């Protein structure tokens, strides 16, 4: 293990840039839930435990048509939680490492929580492949436009 860590440190010392790839596990140390199992998901969103819904049943456009109150409650609760949660030290460590490299860093993430931007990564260097919860989009024919959710203040009954 020590040899592998030494090799990784050597590669970082020789790098001129960094590509950071991250998924659900990155936010766990910040206190954000992952959605891999119903135990963690239902613990984070207790209103869905009673409805016996899992992540795939609520995290899709059809949920807004089927039960808009529940869908907005779920997304509003997540949005509020993500806004209130500061990024853990690992985000800042990566940011600081990247700032010392001539070409900086790019982030490719499946996370929608905005933690990299909150930690100081430039928005134009973060690719959120699944989108961002910090944007709103309509379900009807709105030509694919999205809007910032900055002014949206959800009222959520947890």
């Amino acid at each position: 293990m020590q040899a592998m860590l030494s090799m990784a440190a050597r590669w970082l010392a020789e790098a001129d840039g960094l590509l950071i790839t991250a998924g659900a596990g990155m936010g766990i140390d910040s206190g954000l839930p992952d959605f891999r199992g119903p135990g963690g998901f239902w613990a984070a969103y207790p209103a869905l435990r009673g409805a016996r819904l899992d992540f795939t049943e609520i995290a899709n456009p059809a949920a807004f048509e089927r039960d808009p109150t529940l869908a907005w409650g779920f997304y509003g609760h997540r949005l509020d939680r993500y806004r209130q949660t500061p990024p853990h030290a690992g985000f800042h460590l990566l940011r600081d490492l990247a700032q010392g490299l001539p070409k900086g860093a790019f982030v490719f993430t499946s996370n929608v929580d905005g933690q990299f931007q909150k930690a100081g990564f430039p928005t134009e260097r973060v690719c959120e492949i699944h989108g961002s919860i910090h944007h709103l989009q309509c379900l009807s024919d709105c030509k694919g436009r999205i809007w910032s959710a900055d002014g949206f203040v959800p009222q959520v009954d947890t």
Side-chain angles (χ1 to χ4, degrees), residues 64 68-84 132-137 146-157:
F64 285 92
T69 301
L70 187 63
W72 276 112
F74 170 67
Y75 275 92
H77 185 229
R78 284 177 67 202
L79 176 60
D80 186 57
R81 186 170 188 168
Y82 293 171
R83 284 175 174 167
Q84 302 305 318
S132 169
I133 199 163
H134 301 283
H135 292 91
L136 302 173
Q137 180 178 355
I146 62 170
W147 300 268
S148 171
D150 288 350
F152 176 57
V153 182
Q155 302 297 311
V156 179
D157 179 358

Side-chain angles (χ1 to χ4, degrees), residues 46-96:
L48 298 178
R49 180 182 2 211
R52 305 289 300 161
L53 292 174
D54 70 23
F55 181 73
T56 61
E57 293 172 292
I58 193 68
N60 64 67
F64 285 92
E65 294 171 355
R66 189 175 52 252
D67 190 341
T69 301
L70 187 63
W72 276 112
F74 170 67
Y75 275 92
H77 185 229
R78 284 177 67 202
L79 176 60
D80 186 57
R81 186 170 188 168
Y82 293 171
R83 284 175 174 167
Q84 302 305 318
T85 302
H88 64 75
F91 286 96
H92 301 287
L93 183 124
L94 289 169
R95 183 206 59 218
D96 292 348

Side-chain angles (χ1 to χ4, degrees), residues 105-109 111 114 116-117 121-128:
F106 285 92
V107 177
F108 186 86
T109 182
N111 297 339
F116 282 100
Q117 294 91 326
F121 284 85
T123 299
E124 66 275 4
R125 289 182 165 248
V126 179
C127 176
E128 296 165 303

